[in-house]
Amino acid sequence: MYGGFRRTGNVQFGENGVFVSSTTDGGKTWGMKHTAVIIHTGTQTADSSFEDKYYIHVDTAQTSPYRGTLYTPWKRVINRDSSTQIVFSKSTDEGATWSVPVAVSERFPGTSEATTFGQSFPLIRTGPDGSIHVVWNSGTESALRYARSTDGGKTFTTPRIIQNYNPFGIKSTINGQSNSRVKKVVRAECYPSLTIDNTRGSRNGTLYLTWAADNYPNVYFSRSTNNGSTWSPARIVHSDTTNDQFWSWIS
């Protein structure tokens, strides 16, 4: 899965979309190429959507009623009000067609131009019962938000904050662009990473979450043993807290 966009000359609002290609022989050949999950062509305006930060997930749990379904959340930006929103689409035919995107989160105006990128970096993971779990960074709140679906993505729970964090890095401006940066140089942000135990062992269904926060940034961990309803207190996973540690991933 990947994005594409085109801006020519001084056009501010360009065509854009989210696309997927697939292989059935381990990457030797790609039979399905450049299939649009969503695409915006023609004249774009300040009220048009710009789709960003798309990460695909496949339900592979043996016990899931939705096994084989492809899911992706992403961040939608509307330039008119500088808003960010998390939306969601799915495919039940191996990526050939995709559902009309539905909103997972509220629309937050005035956040896309913030140093924290507003609502961004959403991830989906699925549990052994087929439940869909979405987590993302809500930068202007210095928080991780979460929502869950138990009906294959038809409906989602009301998004809620599951962890608050100390602001990441230091805000600084380079070449006119203000962002959160490590040591005022490396542009970075609080990217959450989520995994779910689908092994049928004693921890089957447990959710595990990591993210980075603070300056210097540290990597934090939390887990849920009740399908995302409650989460354990955040704790740092490493012993050295005097250096920069961020962009974690968990499996």
Side-chain angles (χ1 to χ4, degrees), residues 1-6 14-23 30 32-42 44 49-57 70-74 89 91 94-98 101:
M1 180 163 284
Y2 50 93
F5 64 91
R6 178 170 61 187
E15 298 176 321
N16 72 96
V18 181
F19 305 92
V20 66
S21 297
S22 67
T23 174
W30 292 78
M32 188 181 71
K33 297 182 179 180
H34 205 61
T35 298
V37 176
I38 187 170
I39 187 170
H40 307 294
T41 58
Q44 304 294 297
S49 297
F50 184 82
E51 321 295 7
D52 193 18
K53 305 295 186 295
Y54 12 78
Y55 306 109
I56 194 169
H57 175 76
L70 281 64
Y71 300 110
T72 182
W74 67 84
S89 180
S91 173
E94 299 184 350
T97 60
W98 291 81

Side-chain angles (χ1 to χ4, degrees), residues 97-170:
T97 60
W98 291 81
S99 64
V100 175
V102 298
V104 175
S105 79
E106 309 99 316
R107 182 168 162 177
F108 284 7
T111 57
S112 72
E113 298 301 324
T115 57
T116 59
F117 303 111
Q119 299 183 97
S120 194
F121 311 107
L123 283 181
I124 276 180
R125 295 292 182 262
T126 48
D129 60 352
S131 56
I132 303 169
H133 304 263
V134 194
V135 64
W136 64 95
N137 180 39
S138 185
T140 52
E141 298 179 299
S142 293
L144 299 183
R145 281 186 168 257
Y146 167 84
R148 179 179 67 241
S149 173
T150 56
D151 56 11
K154 294 178 182 178
T155 60
F156 285 87
T157 58
T158 300
R160 60 190 177 88
I161 292 174
I162 57 172
Q163 295 289 348
N164 289 101
Y165 60 82
N166 296 322
F168 181 101
I170 300 175

Side-chain angles (χ1 to χ4, degrees), residues 2-249:
Y2 50 93
F5 64 91
R6 178 170 61 187
R7 293 181 179 176
T8 58
N10 293 322
V11 175
Q12 185 177 3
F13 313 112
E15 298 176 321
N16 72 96
V18 181
F19 305 92
V20 66
S21 297
S22 67
T23 174
T24 58
D25 56 11
K28 295 178 181 177
T29 60
W30 292 78
M32 188 181 71
K33 297 182 179 180
H34 205 61
T35 298
V37 176
I38 187 170
I39 187 170
H40 307 294
T41 58
T43 302
Q44 304 294 297
T45 71
D47 295 309
S48 301
S49 297
F50 184 82
E51 321 295 7
D52 193 18
K53 305 295 186 295
Y54 12 78
Y55 306 109
I56 194 169
H57 175 76
V58 184
D59 185 340
T60 59
Q62 295 285 348
T63 54
S64 169
Y66 308 108
R67 178 177 167 81
T69 301
L70 281 64
Y71 300 110
T72 182
W74 67 84
K75 165 189 176 179
R76 171 166 287 173
V77 178
I78 305 294
N79 281 294
R80 176 73 69 187
D81 61 356
S82 186
S83 64
T84 57
Q85 185 177 34
I86 305 302
V87 299
F88 157 89
S89 180
K90 70 178 182 180
S91 173
T92 57
D93 55 10
E94 299 184 350
T97 60
W98 291 81
S99 64
V100 175
V102 298
V104 175
S105 79
E106 309 99 316
R107 182 168 162 177
F108 284 7
T111 57
S112 72
E113 298 301 324
T115 57
T116 59
F117 303 111
Q119 299 183 97
S120 194
F121 311 107
L123 283 181
I124 276 180
R125 295 292 182 262
T126 48
D129 60 352
S131 56
I132 303 169
H133 304 263
V134 194
V135 64
W136 64 95
N137 180 39
S138 185
T140 52
E141 298 179 299
S142 293
L144 299 183
R145 281 186 168 257
Y146 167 84
R148 179 179 67 241
S149 173
T150 56
D151 56 11
K154 294 178 182 178
T155 60
F156 285 87
T157 58
T158 300
R160 60 190 177 88
I161 292 174
I162 57 172
Q163 295 289 348
N164 289 101
Y165 60 82
N166 296 322
F168 181 101
I170 300 175
K171 306 296 187 291
S172 67
T173 302
I174 297 178
N175 296 327
Q177 186 177 47
S178 297
N179 293 109
S180 297
R181 301 181 193 272
V182 177
K183 291 185 170 67
K184 297 185 179 181
V185 176
V186 179
R187 195 185 86 174
E189 200 36 83
C190 173
Y191 307 156
S193 179
L194 178 68
T195 192
I196 303 177
D197 189 332
N198 287 316
T199 61
R200 301 193 191 182
S202 60
R203 298 183 181 88
N204 185 44
T206 299
L207 284 71
Y208 301 103
L209 176 70
T210 65
W211 68 98
D214 308 332
N215 179 57
Y216 301 105
N218 296 302
V219 174
Y220 286 85
F221 168 87
S222 177
R223 72 175 183 175
S224 173
T225 58
N226 54 9
N227 214 29
S229 295
T230 60
W231 294 79
S232 64
R235 63 186 181 93
I236 295 174
V237 304
H238 48 82
S239 57
D240 177 7
T241 58
T242 61
N243 291 293
D244 306 300
Q245 297 171 95
F246 56 102
W247 284 348
S248 62
W249 206 252

